[in-house]
Amino acid sequence: MILHEFFSYELLRVIWWGLLGVLLIGFALTDGFDMGTAALMPFVGKTDVERRVIINTVGPVWEGNQVWFVLGGGAIFAAWPPLYAVSFSGFYLAMFVVLAAFIVRPVAFKYRSKKDDPVWRTRWDRALFISGAVPALLFGVAVGNVIQGVPFHFTDDLHTVYEGAWYAKFIGLLDPFSILAGVVSLAMLLMHGGAWLAIKTEGAVQERARRYGAQAALVAVIAYALAGVWMAFGIEGFRITGDYATGGPSNPLHFEVARTASWLSAYTDRPWIAIAPALGLLGGLGAFLGLRAGRGGLAFLSSNLSILGVIASVGLTMFPFIMPSSSDPRSSLTVWNSSSSHLTLFIMLVSTVIFMPMIMAYTAWVYKVLWGRVTETDVTENSHTAY
C-alpha cells in the first residue's frame, strides 16, 4: 500500500506512456526485420533455394517477434481504454487489412514447401511479400493520420463518434502526408530487413540485400527529413490551454485544447528531445554506409538506432497528446485524460516488472541459440526441418 502511494497517478501515467513506446519500438525492432525481409524477398531471392534461405533467417523467430504486437495491443487496452476504443474502431478497416496480412504469413510459412511446384511456391512467396509490405506501409500511414489529428469526437456521455462515411475510415487515411509517413515506415523496415539479411546470409543473397537495403535506407532518411519539414511548416499541432490536473480524472472532455502553429514548438519547450530525430537520421545514414561497406553488424545496429529514434521522435514531439482530434480538439486523448485508474496502472506495472525481464531473458537466449548464418547447404541438406 505504501508502494502504491509512492507511485502517484501522474507518475504512473508517464511510466505507462513510456512503456507503450517501449512495446511499439520492441515490435518495430523485432517483427520489423521480419516484415522487411518478407518485402525484400522477391528482389533478393532469385531462385527457390535463395528464397528458402531468406525465409529460414526469420522462420525460427518470427512468432516470438510478433508477440510484441499482441503485447502492444494488450497494453493499449488495459492502460489506455479510450485510445483502444477510438483507434481500433476508427482504423477498423486498416486494422483488418493488417491482421489479414498477419494471418496470411504463418499460413504461407507452413504451406509454401508442402508441394515441390514452382507455381504453388510463387503464390505463397507473393503472400509473404504482401504480409511484409502492406503492414509496414499501413503502420506509417496510421502514424501520419495521428500526427494530423483523427476526425472523432466524444458526446457528453463519452460515446465515440467517428466523422465521415464508413469507406472514409480507410480511403480517408490515404492523404499525401500520411502516404509520406507510410513511405518512411516501409523504407525503414526494408532497410532493417536488408541489414538483417546482411548478417544472416552470404553470397548473392547477401549482396542483393545489402544493395536494396542501402537504397531503402537512403529513401527512409530523405522521406523522414521531408516529413519533418512538412510538420514544421504545413501541419498544425495541438496544445492544452488553461489549467489542468495531471493527476485528475480520465475524462477526455475535461481539458481545453486548441490548435497551434506547429508540432515543432515542442522543441522550443523541451530542446533535449531533438536527440530522437537526430538519432533517426544518423542511424539511417549509418545503416546506409554500413550496408554499402559490407559491414552488416554496423548496419544492423544503426538500423535499430534509426527505428528507435524515428518512433521516439513522434511520441516525444506529440507529448502529452496520444491521439488528437481534428474535428473537435477538446476530445483529444492525452496522457493525462485517457488512462485507466491509478490502481489498475499500479497492478499492471508490478506485473510488468516481474514478467518483462523473464520474457526478454528468454528472447535473448533464443536469439543466442539460433544465431549464425543460413546457407544454401543448410536448407538443401535439411529439407525436412527447414522451411
Side-chain angles (χ1 to χ4, degrees), residues 111-180:
Y111 278 86
R112 182 190 184 278
S113 296
K114 295 297 183 182
K115 291 174 62 177
D116 190 9
D117 178 9
V119 176
W120 171 270
R121 293 189 172 185
T122 298
R123 288 173 178 169
W124 288 118
D125 289 342
R126 290 171 181 168
L128 283 172
F129 167 77
I130 292 171
S131 74
V134 170
L137 178 68
L138 289 182
F139 284 137
V141 168
V143 171
N145 277 269
V146 171
I147 290 172
Q148 296 177 93
V150 180
F152 73 94
H153 70 270
F154 289 100
T155 62
D156 291 337
D157 59 356
L158 296 184
H159 175 70
T160 308
V161 178
Y162 199 93
E163 308 292 340
W166 67 268
Y167 56 84
K169 293 185 178 182
F170 186 78
I171 302 300
L173 301 179
L174 304 177
D175 62 89
F177 178 79
S178 296
I179 292 174
L180 176 60

Side-chain angles (χ1 to χ4, degrees), residues 296-320:
L298 172 63
F300 190 65
L301 175 61
S302 299
S303 178
N304 279 281
L305 292 176
S306 179
I307 291 173
L308 188 157
V310 169
I311 296 176
S313 68
V314 175
L316 291 170
T317 300
M318 293 181 60
F319 183 87

Side-chain angles (χ1 to χ4, degrees), residues 95-311:
M95 189 66 68
F96 181 84
V97 173
V98 169
L99 291 177
F102 279 170
I103 291 170
V104 166
R105 177 160 53 175
V107 178
F109 274 133
K110 298 300 181 184
Y111 278 86
R112 182 190 184 278
S113 296
K114 295 297 183 182
K115 291 174 62 177
D116 190 9
D117 178 9
V119 176
W120 171 270
R121 293 189 172 185
T122 298
R123 288 173 178 169
W124 288 118
D125 289 342
R126 290 171 181 168
L128 283 172
F129 167 77
I130 292 171
S131 74
V134 170
L137 178 68
L138 289 182
F139 284 137
V141 168
V143 171
N145 277 269
V146 171
I147 290 172
Q148 296 177 93
V150 180
F152 73 94
H153 70 270
F154 289 100
T155 62
D156 291 337
D157 59 356
L158 296 184
H159 175 70
T160 308
V161 178
Y162 199 93
E163 308 292 340
W166 67 268
Y167 56 84
K169 293 185 178 182
F170 186 78
I171 302 300
L173 301 179
L174 304 177
D175 62 89
F177 178 79
S178 296
I179 292 174
L180 176 60
V183 170
V184 173
S185 175
L186 177 58
M188 184 173 67
L189 297 189
L190 289 174
M191 168 189 71
H192 201 40
W196 173 256
L197 290 175
I199 62 175
K200 292 290 290 183
T201 62
E202 58 185 29
V205 172
Q206 185 190 61
E207 288 298 317
R208 295 190 200 106
R210 285 172 47 203
R211 182 169 70 250
Y212 286 112
Q215 293 172 4
L218 198 57
V219 171
V221 169
I222 294 173
Y224 180 58
L226 288 175
V229 173
W230 197 330
M231 283 185 64
F233 300 104
I235 296 178
E236 289 185 319
F238 293 77
R239 61 184 175 86
I240 300 175
T241 59
D243 297 329
Y244 60 93
T246 57
S250 288
N251 183 344
L253 301 179
H254 188 64
F255 296 165
E256 291 297 329
V257 177
R259 303 303 295 261
T260 186
S262 170
W263 277 117
L264 271 63
S265 60
Y267 292 86
T268 302
D269 301 331
R270 307 186 300 275
W272 61 270
I273 68 175
I275 190 174
L279 197 61
L281 292 171
L282 294 176
L285 290 174
F288 170 75
L289 295 174
L291 287 166
R292 288 290 298 271
R295 301 182 61 182
L298 172 63
F300 190 65
L301 175 61
S302 299
S303 178
N304 279 281
L305 292 176
S306 179
I307 291 173
L308 188 157
V310 169
I311 296 176

